[in-house]
Amino acid sequence: LNCDPSSIRDFDLQLCDVQPSQIGGLNGEFVLSGRLDNLASCYCSLAALIEATTEEKLKKEKGIRALLHFDHEEVGSASTTGAGGSLTDEFVDRVTSAFGNGDADALATARRKSFLVSADMAHAVHPNYADKHEPGHKPKFGDGVVIKHNANQRYSTDAITSFMFKEIGERRMIKSQEFVVRSDLGCGSTIGPILSTRSGIRTVDVGMPQLSMHSIREMCGTEDTALCVEHFRAVYEDFFEMDEKMIVDGSIGQLCRPCDRFESLPS
């Protein structure tokens, strides 16, 4: 720190692996690194936002593109810098106030028109423990971002948000895969349920598949990293246009406007 030790009054201390990350595998197909969970998601989301945020791409943008990275997810998120803090609410409130032109319903409308991607790494199927996964839900390297489902709301994904995330990818030929934990095993959670409950924003839980989660050295796929950046970039660029046209239970978009296809016309 280039300072006198006596000038340090207090500090936070964390121990971590200092070995540099490596690309491994016969064909360079693996990323070997500490703390992939969840720095890999942070990298992919930031790279996607940077690629999606150019002057040309923002000319016709109808919404606000944002990225939030939080601390303390592994210990409950209950901190001022965690997802359980007030940062998200304050951010949405302040942005809406800046663009709401005094509209009393602007904040509520903004929440209902928004879409949140909760990104946290997913468990790929391990060849030595394949029985720990449901037969039809075995995330594999190279098959794209994993969409996570859980009936007990450990993940915030529902039918609508899952469809939206998949559809945005499919329109660009980006593959994805889905995961449901084996019914007789416990299920971890993410910040998705915390944020969706606090904000009321539609949320999908996703993540890149990886092995050795929470080990000092973790592993994921290089192809999945590229697919993740591409998929997140597609969400930034295509969501608002698709949402305006999406029909759900007879209503189009998130303003519950009547749709000519379903509404009753006067005789």
Side-chain angles (χ1 to χ4, degrees):
L1 298 178
N2 195 28
C3 67
D4 191 295
S6 63
S7 65
I8 300 175
R9 297 306 186 198
D10 210 339
F11 55 87
D12 288 322
L13 177 64
Q14 295 181 339
L15 303 180
C16 61
D17 180 18
V18 296
Q19 297 180 78
S21 301
Q22 299 287 339
I23 301 297
L26 185 62
N27 299 304
E29 65 269 39
F30 301 129
V31 179
L32 309 170
S33 176
R35 304 180 298 285
L36 287 174
D37 178 36
N38 192 35
L39 293 182
S41 299
C42 294
Y43 165 78
C44 290
S45 56
L46 180 58
L49 180 61
I50 292 172
E51 292 181 12
T53 309
T54 64
E55 184 176 352
E56 181 65 28
K57 292 177 179 179
L58 292 177
K59 282 182 179 179
K60 298 181 180 180
E61 182 57 80
K62 299 179 181 179
I64 302 296
R65 299 175 182 178
L67 172 61
L68 299 175
H69 289 165
F70 295 100
D71 291 331
H72 307 136
E73 186 272 338
E74 296 291 356
V75 292
S77 298
S79 69
T80 55
T81 54
S86 60
L87 176 62
T88 306
D89 291 338
E90 292 173 358
F91 166 75
V92 176
D93 191 5
R94 296 183 69 175
V95 171
T96 304
S97 298
F99 292 94
N101 297 320
D103 183 356
D105 294 327
L107 179 58
T109 302
R111 290 175 185 268
R112 296 309 305 157
K113 294 179 69 175
S114 296
F115 184 56
L116 192 154
V117 178
S118 167
D120 197 0
M121 300 295 277
H123 290 281
V125 61
H126 194 293
N128 291 335
Y129 304 98
D131 60 324
K132 294 295 184 180
H133 285 74
E134 290 282 6
H137 296 273
K138 295 182 176 182
K140 300 178 178 64
F141 285 176
D143 279 359
V145 176
V146 179
I147 304 171
K148 308 175 186 179
H149 302 261
N150 185 259
N152 292 324
Q153 302 301 305
R154 303 292 287 171
Y155 302 131
S156 54
T157 308
D158 60 24
I160 295 173
T161 60
S162 173
F163 165 79
M164 295 174 76
F165 188 82
K166 285 186 294 185
E167 179 68 13
I168 288 173
E170 288 176 1
R171 291 185 180 189
R172 297 198 182 194
M173 306 299 292
I174 304 170
K175 55 188 175 181
S176 60
Q177 47 191 326
E178 302 195 56
F179 170 73
V180 177
V181 73
R182 215 176 75 181
S183 57
D184 60 335
L185 294 177
C187 181
S189 190
T190 68
I191 65 174
I194 298 172
L195 293 175
S196 59
T197 299
R198 287 178 59 96
S199 67
I201 295 174
R202 293 167 292 172
T203 305
V204 62
D205 264 298
V206 304
M208 281 193 296
Q210 74 158 93
L211 294 174
S212 305
M213 187 180 290
H214 300 162
S215 297
I216 196 168
R217 203 73 170 167
E218 302 175 332
M219 180 170 71
C220 70
T222 52
E223 183 180 359
D224 290 311
T225 305
L227 288 170
C228 188
V229 173
E230 191 176 355
H231 207 144
F232 288 175
R233 179 166 60 86
V235 172
Y236 278 124
E237 295 177 353
D238 299 346
F239 165 73
F240 290 105
E241 181 180 358
M242 190 190 80
D243 189 44
E244 288 182 338
K245 302 174 181 178
M246 189 176 69
I247 298 170
V248 179
D249 296 334
S251 295
I252 185 168
Q254 284 303 305
L255 297 181
C256 297
R257 296 165 295 197
C259 173
D260 292 340
R261 179 179 170 187
F262 293 98
E263 67 181 355
S264 298
L265 298 177
S267 56

